[in-house]
Amino acid sequence: MKEIISKNKHTKERMRERKIEVVILAAGVGSRLRPLTDKLPKCLIEINGSNILERVLNQLKKHERVESISVLTGHEHEKLNNFLNQSYPDVRHVYNPDYKITNNMYSLSLFLNRRKEENDLIIINADCVYETEIVNKCIKFEGSCIMADSSLYQEESMKIGIEEGKVTKISKKIAKDKNVFTSIDLYKFEPQEANVLHEIVNQYISSADLNQWTEVAINELVDKNDQVYSNDISGLKWFEIDTMEDLENARKLFSNAN
């Protein structure tokens, strides 16, 4: 028993010592939010006093373990760069010049090639709004995880299949089941899993398969690795914003939320 307690203690200490690198994928056009996104990146759309990106940056910056934050830009990147330079000068921006003909796995690859292999990795899609406690739960989780909501099943969203708390697959096409949760597009990987994910992404890019979702690579990761867990946020507030209706609903949901 003493040996188990000691191992758990050392695991927690190593986790606290490791830094986290965060990448926010924000290169997309956001076509279903036109005309708002004709001249504006989706992540700069305002939700009750602050834009989507600003909200998550403030949530992340409260944590000392977060060593660096990078934003992958594309559509209207100059406006996004100007916002970051003025309001968050320590946040890096990485431009994907091919954002119109590639998908977010390619954007992710531009960041992964410069990350530190010894750090934890958090990946966030820039079109989701989260209650602060969700971001806190992600950062504090001991292990690699996919943040997910067990309380709902959404046809358009990515879903995860789980067995004994571990993620076995991620896809939009997973049928409804008691062991299927909705992914909220927020991922945390410890160095071992992050490095395997990097290898998988590089394989796609090197084969010129540039139009894949990041989740395709994550699905291969969980198929090869049984150390990625579901981190359930049921009962906490979040919203993915793809359409004008989504935007209206998100503004209502977060009218008084933290």
Side-chain angles (χ1 to χ4, degrees):
M1 179 62 75
K2 288 182 179 179
E3 183 180 356
I4 294 174
I5 292 173
S6 177
K7 287 181 179 179
N8 288 341
K9 180 181 179 182
H10 290 318
T11 298
K12 291 179 180 179
E13 288 175 351
R14 287 196 298 270
M15 187 194 77
R16 284 195 293 267
E17 290 171 0
R18 278 202 314 271
K19 295 297 184 179
I20 298 173
E21 292 183 80
V22 179
V23 57
I24 301 174
L25 304 177
V29 174
S31 59
R32 287 189 285 173
L33 279 163
R34 288 175 173 154
L36 276 181
T37 52
D38 282 341
K39 299 295 182 180
L40 188 72
K42 185 198 290 192
C43 64
L44 294 188
I45 293 175
E46 185 177 298
I47 305 290
N48 300 326
S50 61
N51 63 55
I52 299 170
L53 180 60
E54 181 180 17
R55 180 183 184 88
V56 74
L57 288 176
N58 290 342
Q59 291 167 332
L60 290 164
K61 282 179 157 295
K62 294 177 181 179
H63 293 270
E64 292 183 358
R65 286 187 63 210
V66 175
E67 180 177 80
S68 69
I69 304 172
S70 299
V71 178
L72 262 296
T73 70
H75 176 63
E76 293 294 324
H77 66 281
E78 291 182 355
K79 290 181 180 176
L80 189 44
N81 292 348
N82 289 338
F83 168 76
L84 291 171
N85 289 337
Q86 292 174 12
S87 302
Y88 300 91
D90 58 334
V91 171
R92 304 167 184 170
H93 25 101
V94 182
Y95 177 51
N96 174 6
D98 299 312
Y99 69 92
K100 290 183 180 179
I101 59 172
T102 60
N103 215 319
N104 65 10
M105 187 195 294
Y106 180 75
S107 291
L108 176 63
S109 73
L110 300 178
F111 164 79
L112 290 177
N113 291 328
R114 62 182 71 190
R115 63 173 281 268
K116 296 179 182 178
E117 293 186 355
E118 69 272 17
N119 286 347
D120 285 2
L121 169 67
I122 287 179
I123 303 171
I124 305 175
N125 285 352
D127 58 358
C128 287
V129 185
Y130 304 113
E131 184 175 339
T132 298
E133 183 55 27
I134 291 176
V135 177
N136 294 345
K137 278 176 66 83
C138 179
I139 289 173
K140 294 176 182 178
F141 189 83
E142 296 175 18
S144 297
C145 67
I146 294 177
M147 308 299 291
D149 191 340
S150 65
S151 69
L152 79 164
Y153 178 92
Q154 293 182 334
E155 288 290 346
E156 283 198 9
S157 297
M158 288 286 173
K159 275 81 66 179
I160 60 171
I162 63 170
E163 291 181 9
E164 298 180 350
K166 296 179 180 180
V167 181
T168 59
K169 54 188 172 181
I170 178 169
S171 171
K172 287 189 175 183
K173 298 179 180 180
I174 302 175
K176 189 174 183 180
D177 183 81
K178 65 178 181 179
N179 292 320
V180 172
F181 299 171
T182 294
S183 167
I184 67 167
D185 297 338
L186 177 56
Y187 311 95
K188 175 179 175 285
F189 300 110
E190 292 196 331
Q192 181 174 341
E193 286 72 46
N195 294 335
V196 174
L197 179 65
H198 189 178
E199 293 174 4
I200 294 169
V201 169
N202 279 347
Q203 289 170 5
Y204 277 94
I205 303 307
S206 63
S207 65
D209 192 354
L210 309 181
N211 198 27
Q212 295 284 357
W213 294 105
T214 293
E215 286 79 6
V216 172
I218 295 175
N219 187 60
E220 286 197 27
L221 169 66
V222 298
D223 185 54
K224 296 177 179 179
N225 185 298
D226 66 352
Q227 294 301 312
V228 180
Y229 294 82
S230 168
N231 193 350
D232 190 11
I233 57 89
S234 177
L236 297 175
K237 296 179 181 179
W238 71 282
F239 213 98
E240 181 180 4
I241 301 170
D242 288 320
T243 66
M244 293 300 292
E245 183 181 2
D246 291 340
L247 178 58
E248 181 181 348
N249 288 333
R251 285 172 171 167
K252 289 177 181 177
L253 181 64
F254 285 90
S255 58
N256 297 307
N258 65 342

